């Protein structure tokens, strides 16, 4: 693997924050983020492209990696570091063909069957979720619970695993202890736009106090 998954994996959201992806990236980088996913479900491709291009410029200058949710085409046009794909997006195999060996490709799964299939694909990490109830995703799959993280870890050995969905300051350490390499967090990190940096730092402080 050519990159290390951070234990805290921030994902941007313009509806929650009411600020641009670029502004969120600035704040997240100040908070210590090294790897960020841009997730945009509502802006036009053009508006998202412009915002993401700005975000990428900021990230590049700080050696921070940016991957794009859903859109291989935009990832390619933006020369982003990779993509995160869902079950209904173009496949990871297609993404690998288009983006090349060095791209970071993540893939979402919602149960152990999908996860078992995912680890055979040309991906850099698999995500599983929603672990807990989430309000951020429209029409989320069924909540899988923390137990599935333990089962997922047993099933896939040391394959890189991200847990997502309803993860917050009060439960992320439990999710990491259950076997996730990384916890992807949206609303708990972004709820107050002017506190994003402080929030990420406080998560990191919590993390530094324990051995996981
Ligand atoms: N995939 C599964 S749950 C989810 C996604 C994108 C949303 C996670 O958002 P939050 O606010 O951290 O629950
Ligand atoms: Mg998707």
């Amino acid at each position: 693997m050519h990159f290390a998954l951070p234990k805290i994996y921030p994902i941007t959201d313009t509806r929650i924050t009411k600020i641009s992806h670029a502004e969120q990236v600035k704040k997240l980088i100040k908070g210590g983020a090294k790897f960020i996913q841009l997730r945009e479900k509502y802006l036009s491709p053009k508006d998202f492209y412009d915002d993401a291009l700005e975000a990428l410029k900021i990230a590049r200058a700080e050696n921070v990696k940016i991957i794009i949710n859903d859109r291989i085409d935009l990832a390619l046009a933006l020369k982003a570091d990779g993509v995160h794909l869902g079950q209904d997006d173009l496949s990871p195999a297609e993404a690998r063909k288009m983006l090349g060996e060095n791209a970071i490709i993540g893939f979402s799964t919602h149960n152990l069957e999908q996860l078992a299939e995912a680890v055979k694909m040309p991906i850099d990490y698999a995500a599983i979720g929603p672990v807990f109830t989430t309000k951020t995703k429209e029409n989320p799959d069924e909540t899988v619970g923390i137990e599935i993280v333990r089962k997922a870890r047993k099933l896939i050995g040391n394959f890189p695993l991200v847990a997502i969905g309803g993860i917050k300051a009060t439960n992320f350490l439990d999710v990491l202890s259950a076997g996730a390499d990384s916890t992807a967090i949206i609303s708990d990190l972004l709820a107050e736009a002017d506190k994003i940096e402080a929030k990420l730092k406080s998560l990191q402080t919590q993390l530094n106090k324990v051995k996981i």
Side-chain angles (χ1 to χ4, degrees):
M1 190 158 77
H2 50 278
F3 86 112
L5 270 174
K7 290 207 175 352
I8 304 162
Y9 175 177
I11 303 179
T12 59
D13 188 307
T14 48
R15 285 234 166 153
I16 291 173
T17 55
K18 318 274 194 303
I19 58 173
S20 67
H21 293 282
E23 286 301 319
Q24 291 173 69
V25 162
K26 256 189 225 166
K27 290 173 187 289
L28 288 165
I29 292 175
K30 280 194 193 150
K34 290 278 165 220
F35 179 68
I36 301 167
Q37 180 190 138
L38 306 187
R39 182 173 183 272
E40 180 54 65
K41 299 287 183 182
Y42 306 103
L43 281 180
S44 70
K46 182 184 185 309
D47 288 346
F48 183 36
Y49 176 89
D50 291 344
D51 189 352
L53 195 60
E54 181 66 28
L56 263 152
K57 267 191 214 147
I58 295 161
R60 281 272 142 75
E62 303 289 336
N63 250 316
V64 170
K65 292 196 189 303
I66 298 274
I67 73 169
I68 307 292
N69 185 267
D70 292 345
R71 302 285 302 255
I72 303 172
D73 56 345
L74 289 184
L76 198 56
L78 289 159
K79 300 189 176 65
D81 296 289
V83 279
H84 182 93
L85 300 168
Q87 294 283 321
D88 297 328
D89 296 317
L90 282 186
S91 71
E94 287 301 332
R96 183 61 73 201
K97 266 192 247 162
M98 286 190 262
L99 300 176
E101 269 314 296
N102 293 329
I104 298 166
I105 300 177
F107 187 55
S108 284
T109 71
H110 311 294
N111 55 54
L112 294 175
E113 291 71 33
Q114 288 175 355
L115 183 66
E117 286 307 307
V119 298
K120 298 179 208 156
M121 297 176 184
I123 60 175
D124 296 280
Y125 70 85
I128 191 145
V131 176
F132 305 112
T133 310
T134 180
K135 289 192 187 127
T136 306
K137 190 174 184 177
E138 284 185 14
N139 306 314
D141 287 78
E142 224 174 290
T143 300
V144 291
I146 198 166
E147 249 337 284
I148 211 170
V149 178
R150 260 182 270 280
K151 288 183 183 155
R153 174 50 69 216
K154 280 208 187 99
L155 179 71
I156 66 176
N158 61 7
F159 198 92
L161 180 68
V162 173
I164 186 164
I167 297 179
K168 25 172 110 72
T170 49
N171 62 25
F172 82 110
L173 293 175
D174 294 338
V175 177
L176 291 168
S177 300
D181 294 299
S182 178
T183 44
I185 308 179
I186 306 181
S187 51
D188 196 52
L189 204 47
L190 305 182
E192 294 173 275
D194 57 341
K195 299 204 177 116
I196 292 172
E197 177 188 342
K199 183 84 193 202
L200 185 51
K201 282 185 176 161
S202 87
L203 292 177
Q204 194 58 52
T205 305
Q206 275 198 59
L207 192 56
N208 292 343
K209 284 191 194 143
V210 292
K211 270 245 172 304
I212 291 178

